[in-house]
Amino acid sequence: MRTISFKTRARTVDHLGREQIADVPTAISELWKNAYDAYARSVSLTIFDQTPLVVTIADDGHGMSYDELVDRWLVVGTESKLFADSRSDEDQDGLGLRTRQGQKGIGRLSSAHLGPLMLLVTKRRHQDVAAALIDWRLFENPFLILTDIEIPVVTFGEISEITQYLPSMAEALLENVLGTGKTDERTERILTAWASYDQAVKVDANNGDKSPPSKSIISACRAFKLQDQYMEPWGVWSNVSQKGTVMIVSGATDEFSALLPANRELATAREDKARFETTLGGFVDPLYDPARPDINAAKTDFEYGVFVSAGGKSSKIIGSEREFNRSLTDRMEHIVDGRIDEKGVFTGQVKSFGKWRKIGNEYEIRPPKEFVVPTGAGSSLGPVDVYFATYEQDPRNSTHTPLEWEDLRRYSSAHAGLMIYRNGLRVLPYGREDNDFFEIEKRRSMNAGREYWNARRIFGRIAISREHNPNLKDKAGREGFIVNKAAKSLKVLIINILRSAAYDYFGSNSDDRGAEIAETQRNFAEQKAKEAQAKLRQKHRKDFRKNLRAHNANIPLISERLKLEIAATRIEVPEDIPIAQERLEAAQASIAELRLPGAPSPLGTLEDDYRSYRRSMTELNQLVSDFSSSITQAVDRIHPPAPEEILLRQIQRNEGRLTSRVTRWVKEIRVLQDAERVRIGELVTERNKLLREETMPLIEQTATQRISLTAASNVIVEARNRIDAENELLFQNYILALENLRDSIDIQAIAILGGDENSELRTQVDRLNGLAQLGITVEFLDHELHSHDAVIDEGIQKLRRKLGNDPVLEQLAIGYAGLKHILDFLGPLRMAGRPQPRNLGGEYIHRYVADFFARTIASNGIDFVATDTFKRFSVFEQPSRLLPVFVNLVNNSLYWLTNSRTESPRIIFDIRDGEVIVADNGPGVDEIDVKRLFSLFFTRKVEGGRGVGLYLSQANLAAGGHTIGYVQDDDKKVLPGANFSMKFRGANFDE
C-alpha cells in the first residue's frame, strides 16, 4: 500500500480567483475590502489611458512586511480568524476596531481579474518595502503543477529602488516559462507544460490567430516599464503616508476602457460603465445616519474613488463624496424606515406622498402568519436595520416639483437599488440590476400598481453585521448569501415589509393614493405653468433690458436729427404741406420704433434707465407734438386749393409705412416658422427613436440572462409610459399654444401679467407675517408700559421728596413725561380689546394730527390748515382705523416737504366733490410710481421709510368700506404737490 498526497495543478489558483468572481467591478470591490481590513482610510483605483492599459489600486492601510507578504499574502486560503489578535494599535492607526470583511483568504486572488501582469508593492511603518511580481496567466496553464510556479519577492529600504529591482524580478518570473537554464526536473516540467499548452491553444480553432501564451507572457514581462505616474496615487511614493499597499496591473482588461474619455458615449461601453457605477458607486453605506440609532450601521471612516488619468490630468468619476446620501433620500416622498427584531417584527416609521403617516416606532409589520421565524443558534437571522425611499414614477403624480423629480431620476440610473451592507460595506450582488433577490420585479409583473416598488427607483439599504447576523454568510464567488435558514428568513421578512407598505400606503390599493393623486396632479400642472411663466418673464426682462439700453443710446441721436429736420422745415405755400406732413410721419415712425412693451415688475436695477428713457421719450413726443401743431396752424393759414389730394397722398404714405412694417414682421414670422418646422421635425425623430435607444440593450441582457424576461418587459412598459407622458406635455401644449395664437389670444401678455402679480403677492404674503409680528409687539409694549405707568410716577414723586430739586431727577421726569405723552397719542391707534366706533369730526382729526406733529410742524415752518368744509365733515368709525391714515399721510408730506426744501411748505385738509383731500405743495409722486404707491414695502424715502404706511392706510379704510386714491389730474388737485383723495362710506359733510 502507498499513501499519495493530492497534486494541485496551477490552474487551481485561477479557479479560486479569477473564475470565482463575476466581473471586474466585483473584483475591485473585493480588493477594496482587503484595504478596509488593513485599516486603510482611503483606497483608489486609477486607470491610465495608454497602451497597454494600466490600472493601479492604492491604499494607505497598515501594509505588509516581507515576512507577511510571503507567509500570508502568498498563502492561498489564509484563515483570517487565526490572525485576529495580531492587529495592534499601530495597525489601527487611531481608527476604531473594524470587523473583518474578508473571511476565506482568497479575495486577493480576484486581482487576476484586473489584468495579467501585476506588481505588488507594500510597506509597513518603520519597516522595509516588500514587492512581488506576478503574471496570473501562469496559473491558466493546465499542465503546470502549482508548486512549480515561483513568485519573485524582494525587499529594499527606499521606495525608489523598485525600478532597479524590476528587471531582475521580471527575468525571475520568466523562469516559470523559460526554465532556469539548468537541467533539472522543474525546468523540464515547465518547458514541457508550456510546449503542450501552446500547442493546445494553437489547435483550438476558437482561438484563431492567438499568439502562443508563453510568448505573450515573455513579451509583456520584458516590455513592462514602471512609470512614476503609476506610483503617484500611492501615498508612500509621494511621502504623504508611511504605510500602505499598491497594485500596478499592466495589460488591464478591456472592461476598464469603458471609463476612458474617448469611449464614454459609445453605446458598446455604456453597459460596462453602468456596471462599474452601480457596483462601486455605493461601496460604503451612503445612507448611514449618525442621528439614527441603527444597530448594524457603522461609520466606516473609509474614502474610495475611481480616477481616470488622461492627457496629464486625473479626474474622479466614481467616489464617496460624489454619492447621494441620507439628506437626499430623506426628502423623498415615500419612506419606510425601521428595524426587524429577533422575532421578525418590523417597527418603524412611514412617509407617503410627502407626509409622515406614522413616526418613531408606530408602524408595525408582523411576519407572515404561515412563516415561522428560526431561533436556533445556527439558523436565526438576528436584528436587521431597514430603510427604503422612493418617488412616483410619473411626475404628474409626484409631490416633488418637476425639477426635483428630474434630479431624483438622474440619481436613479447610478444609485437606485435595494442594497445590503455588512458593517457598512456593500454585500454583492444585491442591489444590482441583474439581481432580484427580493423578487421586486417578479411581483411587479403580477400587478405593478398594487405591488408598487420598482427595483430601478428604490433607494434602499438593509444593514446587517457579522456580530448580529453571523448566519448570513457569503458564497465563495460573491454571488450572494449561502442559502440557509437565515438567508431565507431575511428574504421572506423584507418581501413582507415591501408588500405591506405598498398595500397600506403607496400602491393602487392603498387609501392614501386615491386621496393624494388628484391634488399632486393639480400641483404638477401648476408647477409646470409657473416654471414656464418664470422662463417667459426672464426672457421678457432680458429683451426689455436689451431694448431699453439700445433705445437710451439711440434717443439722443434721433432727437438731434429730428430737431434739425423740424428746424429746416418751412411751410409757406401749399406745396410745402405734403413735405412737412411726410417729415412729421417719419418722426412719428421713429418714435414708434422706440416704444417699449410693458415694463417688467419690479424694475429693480432697470429703474434709473427706465426713468431716463421716459423723460427722453416725453421730450421727443413733445417735440413732435409741437411740430404737428405748427403744421396744423400752417394748413389753416394757407388753405390749400386741393386738400383732397394732400389727404390722398397722406393716406398712401401711411399705407406704405404700415405695409412696410407688416412685411418686415411677416418675414420674421416666416423665418421662425421655418426654424420651428425643422425643430419639430428633429424633435419628432428624436422622440420616436427614444424608446428603442433606451430598451435595445435589454435584448442582449436578456439573452445573457443578466436580467429576466419579466423584468425586461416591465422596463419597456415603464419607459413607454414615461415617454408617452413626456410626449403629451411637449406636443399637446404646443397644439394649445397654436390654437391660442389662431384665436388672437396674447399668451405672453397673460403669462407675464400673471407672473408679475403672483410674484408681488408672494412677496407681500412673506413680508406681512413679519409686519403682523411687529404690530403684535407694539401692542404688547404699549400695554406693558401703561401697566407700569403708576409705579414709575410714584417712584419719581418719592425721589422728589427725598432729593428735592435735583437736576438729574428733573431730567428723568421730563424724559418720562415726553414718553408718556407719545404713549397717550398711541391710545386711539390701539387695536387691542374691542375698539368701539364713534363719530369722528374733521375738526377733531385736524387737531389730533396737529398736536401729534406739533414740534415738527413748528420747527420747519409748515402751514398746516383744515378748511371749514373739512371741519364740518364727520364719519362714524373706529379711531384706531381712521386716525392712522391721516397721521401717515401727513407724515409723508412732512418728509417730502422738508427734504425737498419746498418754499412756503403747506399741508391742507379739504373736501372736494364729496371726497376728503389731503394735499401738500411738495414734489408730488412721479407718474411711474403711482401704480405701486399703495403696494406693501414700496417707498422712495432714502431713510426712515419702510413702505407700509400707504398700504396699511388703504387696508384700514377698506376694512370700513372706504377707499383712497392718488389724484393725478392737475385740474382736481388742491395743491400742486401730492394729493390723496378718500371716499368715506356714510360720511356727513353738513355738520
Side-chain angles (χ1 to χ4, degrees):
M1 182 182 71
R2 298 173 59 192
T3 56
I4 302 174
S5 62
F6 275 104
K7 290 184 179 180
T8 306
R9 293 284 181 182
R11 199 170 182 184
T12 303
V13 171
D14 195 44
H15 291 322
L16 292 173
R18 185 176 60 87
E19 293 185 4
Q20 282 284 333
I21 302 298
D23 51 29
V24 170
T26 305
I28 296 167
S29 173
E30 288 300 302
L31 295 171
W32 282 1
K33 286 180 181 178
N34 287 352
Y36 178 83
D37 286 345
Y39 284 88
R41 283 185 166 82
S42 65
V43 65
S44 66
L45 166 71
T46 305
I47 306 165
F48 295 90
D49 188 2
Q50 58 186 53
T51 304
L53 200 62
V54 174
V55 300
T56 67
I57 292 182
D59 70 57
D60 59 356
H62 55 57
M64 293 178 284
S65 65
Y66 176 86
D67 292 337
E68 287 170 324
L69 176 60
V70 172
D71 297 334
R72 291 194 192 180
W73 204 90
L74 290 175
V75 176
V76 177
T78 305
E79 177 52 58
S80 63
K81 292 180 181 178
L82 298 178
F83 302 97
D85 297 333
S86 65
R87 294 182 294 182
S88 64
D89 291 341
E90 186 177 66
D91 286 345
Q92 294 181 31
D93 194 24
L95 295 170
L97 189 65
R98 288 177 173 176
T99 302
R100 282 190 182 274
Q101 296 287 328
Q103 293 289 304
K104 296 178 174 60
I106 60 173
R108 74 206 66 163
L109 301 181
S110 60
S111 56
H113 226 306
L114 309 187
L117 183 61
M118 183 184 80
L119 174 65
L120 172 70
V121 186
T122 183
K123 184 183 184 305
R124 265 191 176 276
R125 185 183 275 124
H126 310 308
Q127 296 196 36
D128 286 346
V129 184
L133 185 65
I134 304 171
D135 194 313
W136 295 107
R137 288 170 294 192
L138 297 174
F139 301 98
E140 296 177 14
N141 190 333
F143 302 101
L144 279 175
I145 301 299
L146 182 58
T147 53
D148 283 337
I149 297 178
E150 296 180 354
I151 304 301
V153 183
V154 297
T155 182
F156 42 88
E158 296 296 329
I159 186 64
S160 59
E161 296 178 44
I162 182 62
T163 54
Q164 302 171 21
Y165 283 93
L166 190 57
S168 60
M169 293 174 72
E171 291 305 317
L173 182 65
L174 289 180
E175 290 182 358
N176 294 292
V177 179
L178 302 173
T180 61
K182 302 176 183 177
T183 306
D184 54 30
E185 291 184 13
R186 176 175 175 264
T187 296
E188 185 178 344
R189 285 196 304 273
I190 287 172
L191 294 175
T192 301
W194 283 106
S196 301
Y197 187 33
D198 288 348
Q199 182 62 28
V201 170
K202 182 179 180 181
V203 172
D204 189 348
N206 293 328
N207 288 321
D209 297 329
K210 183 178 179 180
S211 175
S214 61
K215 290 187 177 180
S216 298
I217 294 173
I218 294 168
S219 61
C221 287
R222 288 179 173 166
F224 178 56
K225 304 295 182 185
L226 183 62
Q227 299 179 20
D228 287 354
Q229 62 172 330
Y230 303 159
M231 302 291 283
E232 284 171 0
W234 191 35
V236 176
W237 181 266
S238 55
N239 291 320
V240 173
S241 177
Q242 299 178 352
K243 57 188 179 58
T245 300
V246 63
M247 296 176 177
I248 301 100
V249 179
S250 178
T253 179
D254 285 341
E255 285 185 59
F256 287 108
S257 63
L259 301 178
L260 298 179
N263 302 329
R264 285 179 187 171
E265 301 305 321
L266 295 178
T268 52
R270 286 178 189 167
E271 189 177 336
D272 286 342
K273 183 174 182 290
R275 192 158 52 247
F276 271 94
E277 290 177 339
T278 56
T279 302
L280 300 177
F283 181 72
V284 169
D285 183 0
L287 300 179
Y288 167 77
D289 182 4
R292 177 75 179 168
D294 289 339
I295 194 170
N296 290 321
K299 180 172 174 57
T300 56
D301 292 313
F302 189 67
E303 297 292 327
Y304 60 92
V306 176
F307 300 82
V308 171
S309 178
K313 296 182 179 179
S314 180
S315 58
K316 179 178 279 190
I317 56 174
I318 299 172
S320 43
E321 69 273 15
R322 294 169 64 97
E323 303 292 312
F324 72 100
N325 52 43
R326 193 67 168 258
S327 65
L328 171 75
T329 57
D330 278 348
R331 296 199 305 268
M332 291 185 185
E333 56 194 329
H334 304 318
I335 294 177
V336 178
D337 180 17
R339 179 180 302 154
I340 303 171
D341 64 18
E342 291 83 351
K343 297 179 181 179
V345 178
F346 170 85
T347 54
Q349 54 191 359
V350 61
K351 178 168 74 169
S352 69
F353 294 97
K355 301 173 184 176
W356 285 103
R357 310 295 175 169
K358 293 189 176 181
I359 59 174
N361 293 320
E362 292 178 351
Y363 189 38
E364 180 178 291
I365 301 175
R366 304 195 70 79
K369 292 181 180 179
E370 68 278 8
F371 178 69
V372 178
V373 180
T375 57
S379 60
S380 64
L381 172 61
V384 175
D385 295 310
V386 176
Y387 179 90
F388 311 137
T390 190
Y391 61 98
E392 287 293 312
Q393 180 182 348
D394 188 338
R396 293 174 296 185
N397 297 338
S398 177
T399 56
H400 293 294
T401 66
L403 290 176
E404 289 172 343
W405 189 89
E406 282 294 340
D407 197 38
L408 294 176
R409 183 184 166 201
R410 179 173 57 83
Y411 275 104
S412 297
S413 60
H415 303 299
L418 183 45
M419 322 290 186
I420 299 179
Y421 290 88
R422 178 188 285 115
N423 296 100
L425 298 191
R426 177 91 173 268
V427 179
L428 291 174
Y430 304 109
R432 295 208 331 189
E433 190 173 348
D434 53 0
N435 179 271
D436 192 23
F437 179 69
F438 297 107
E439 299 178 354
I440 293 174
E441 294 305 316
K442 179 181 177 180
R443 291 193 306 282
R444 276 182 60 78
S445 66
M446 300 174 187
N447 190 313
R450 184 187 67 216
E451 299 296 331
Y452 185 75
W453 297 100
N454 184 327
R456 285 163 300 283
R457 202 173 67 246
I458 185 173
F459 292 77
R461 181 268 261 145
I462 297 168
I464 62 173
S465 64
R466 212 171 287 282
E467 295 83 0
H468 295 108
N469 313 101
N471 296 322
L472 291 175
K473 300 175 181 178
D474 298 345
K475 295 178 182 177
R478 300 299 188 262
E479 68 272 23
F481 294 130
I482 295 172
V483 181
N484 56 21
K485 289 184 178 181
K488 291 177 181 178
S489 297
L490 178 66
K491 179 175 181 178
V492 169
L493 295 174
I494 294 298
I495 289 174
N496 185 52
I497 295 171
L498 291 169
R499 297 193 73 181
S500 298
Y503 290 7
D504 291 342
Y505 295 103
F506 314 127
S508 55
N509 286 3
S510 67
D511 294 335
D512 286 350
R513 188 168 194 82
E516 296 286 348
I517 287 299
E519 182 179 352
T520 56
Q521 289 181 346
R522 283 196 302 271
N523 292 339
F524 174 79
E526 289 176 7
Q527 185 64 35
K528 292 295 288 186
K530 288 177 182 177
E531 289 177 6
Q533 198 175 63
K535 187 176 180 180
L536 185 57
R537 288 181 64 216
Q538 186 177 13
K539 179 181 181 300
H540 173 63
R541 189 176 190 86
K542 181 180 179 182
D543 292 343
F544 183 85
R545 181 191 295 111
K546 176 183 175 183
N547 292 330
L548 176 62
R549 289 175 178 172
H551 289 354
N552 277 341
N554 291 333
I555 284 175
L557 301 176
I558 294 172
S559 177
E560 190 63 30
R561 176 172 58 80
L562 292 181
K563 287 177 181 177
L564 292 173
E565 290 178 356
I566 291 172
T569 302
R570 296 286 183 270
I571 311 174
E572 297 174 351
V573 296
E575 289 74 15
D576 293 336
I577 294 174
I579 297 171
Q581 287 180 332
E582 188 171 356
R583 288 180 179 175
L584 172 63
E585 290 158 6
Q588 291 169 337
S590 296
I591 291 177
E593 293 291 339
L594 292 172
R595 289 197 196 108
L596 283 172
S601 179
L603 281 165
T605 56
L606 302 177
E607 188 161 317
D608 290 341
D609 287 344
Y610 188 53
R611 284 180 181 277
S612 174
Y613 162 79
R614 288 183 66 255
R615 283 195 298 270
S616 299
M617 287 295 289
T618 300
E619 293 172 1
L620 267 182
N621 280 311
Q622 187 61 49
L623 177 68
V624 173
S625 177
D626 293 344
F627 184 37
S628 177
S629 298
S630 67
I631 293 174
T632 301
Q633 293 171 3
V635 170
D636 292 341
R637 185 181 71 250
I638 294 172
H639 294 294
E644 68 280 3
E645 293 181 6
I646 294 175
L647 192 63
L648 176 61
R649 289 167 64 183
Q650 185 178 3
I651 291 172
Q652 291 172 340
R653 285 195 309 274
N654 283 280
E655 185 180 38
R657 291 186 186 280
L658 291 174
T659 302
S660 175
R661 293 194 81 189
V662 169
T663 302
R664 190 181 71 209
W665 288 328
V666 167
K667 286 181 180 179
E668 292 181 13
I669 289 170
R670 284 174 179 165
V671 169
L672 290 172
Q673 285 177 333
D674 291 341
E676 272 298 277
R677 287 191 187 95
V678 173
R679 188 184 73 83
I680 291 297
E682 292 174 348
L683 181 62
V684 168
T685 302
E686 176 190 331
R687 301 303 299 182
N688 287 339
K689 290 180 180 178
L690 197 56
L691 180 66
R692 178 174 289 270
E693 289 177 352
E694 287 191 13
T695 57
M696 279 300 290
L698 295 171
I699 295 176
E700 194 272 335
Q701 293 173 20
T702 306
T704 56
Q705 298 183 349
R706 289 198 300 277
I707 185 172
S708 69
L709 175 60
T710 299
S713 179
N714 286 335
V715 173
I716 294 172
V717 172
E718 289 171 4
R720 181 203 65 200
N721 292 338
R722 175 174 48 79
I723 293 170
D724 185 53
E726 292 171 354
N727 289 344
E728 183 178 345
L729 283 174
L730 283 170
F731 296 110
Q732 189 62 40
N733 288 339
Y734 196 88
I735 292 169
L736 290 173
L738 292 177
E739 289 175 349
N740 287 327
L741 288 175
R742 179 198 63 195
D743 298 335
S744 299
I745 296 173
D746 192 340
I747 305 170
Q748 179 166 346
I750 294 170
I752 292 172
L753 177 62
D756 289 345
E757 289 177 348
N758 288 340
S759 177
E760 291 177 7
L761 285 172
R762 282 194 298 271
T763 303
Q764 288 185 16
V765 168
D766 291 340
R767 292 174 172 178
L768 269 174
N769 290 326
L771 186 61
Q773 187 59 49
L774 177 62
I776 292 169
T777 303
V778 170
E779 289 277 0
F780 173 77
L781 290 174
D782 178 43
H783 176 270
E784 292 300 306
L785 285 170
H786 275 92
S787 67
H788 295 294
D789 176 40
V791 176
I792 297 172
D793 190 54
E794 184 182 354
I796 291 175
Q797 296 305 323
K798 287 181 178 180
L799 286 174
R800 272 205 178 105
R801 286 194 291 271
K802 286 184 178 181
L803 302 177
N805 296 325
D806 185 85
V808 176
L809 178 59
E810 286 305 313
Q811 189 176 4
L812 174 64
I814 292 170
Y816 175 65
L819 177 62
K820 186 178 177 183
H821 181 68
I822 294 172
L823 289 176
D824 290 338
F825 267 108
L826 288 176
L829 310 184
R830 294 176 60 217
M831 298 294 294
R834 290 178 171 269
Q836 295 296 324
R838 61 187 178 89
N839 203 50
L840 296 173
E843 188 170 359
Y844 168 77
I845 294 171
H846 176 253
R847 188 172 63 253
Y848 176 86
V849 177
D851 289 344
F852 196 98
F853 294 109
R855 209 162 82 186
T856 304
I857 290 171
S859 62
N860 289 281
I862 294 172
D863 182 21
F864 177 40
V865 298
T867 63
D868 292 338
T869 53
F870 178 81
K871 290 178 180 178
R872 290 196 298 270
F873 150 79
S874 66
V875 63
F876 190 73
E877 188 54 273
Q878 298 173 15
S880 60
R881 181 178 286 165
L882 192 61
L883 294 177
V885 175
F886 287 92
V887 168
N888 179 70
L889 292 175
V890 171
N891 183 55
N892 286 344
S893 293
L894 293 171
Y895 176 88
W896 291 111
L897 288 169
T898 54
N899 281 276
S900 64
R901 303 184 186 280
T902 301
E903 293 185 10
S904 304
R906 193 173 188 221
I907 301 172
I908 190 169
F909 287 179
D910 198 1
I911 302 292
R912 291 287 176 91
D913 300 325
E915 296 182 13
V916 173
I917 305 294
V918 176
D920 64 49
N921 63 340
V925 177
D926 194 309
E927 183 183 348
I928 193 176
D929 294 332
V930 171
K931 67 177 182 179
R932 290 185 291 164
L933 201 54
F934 296 96
S935 299
L936 184 60
F937 302 110
F938 173 76
T939 182
R940 288 290 176 200
K941 293 180 179 178
V942 177
E943 57 182 21
R946 293 186 174 85
V948 298
L950 289 177
Y951 173 85
L952 289 178
S953 295
Q954 187 182 58
N956 274 7
L957 291 173
H962 320 300
T963 61
I964 184 172
Y966 183 77
V967 179
Q968 292 181 269
D969 191 342
D970 290 339
D971 295 337
K972 294 182 179 180
K973 288 186 175 182
V974 176
L975 291 176
N979 286 245
F980 290 88
S981 67
M982 291 171 278
K983 293 181 180 180
F984 287 95
R985 183 172 61 87
N988 189 335
F989 299 100
D990 299 325
E991 290 186 1

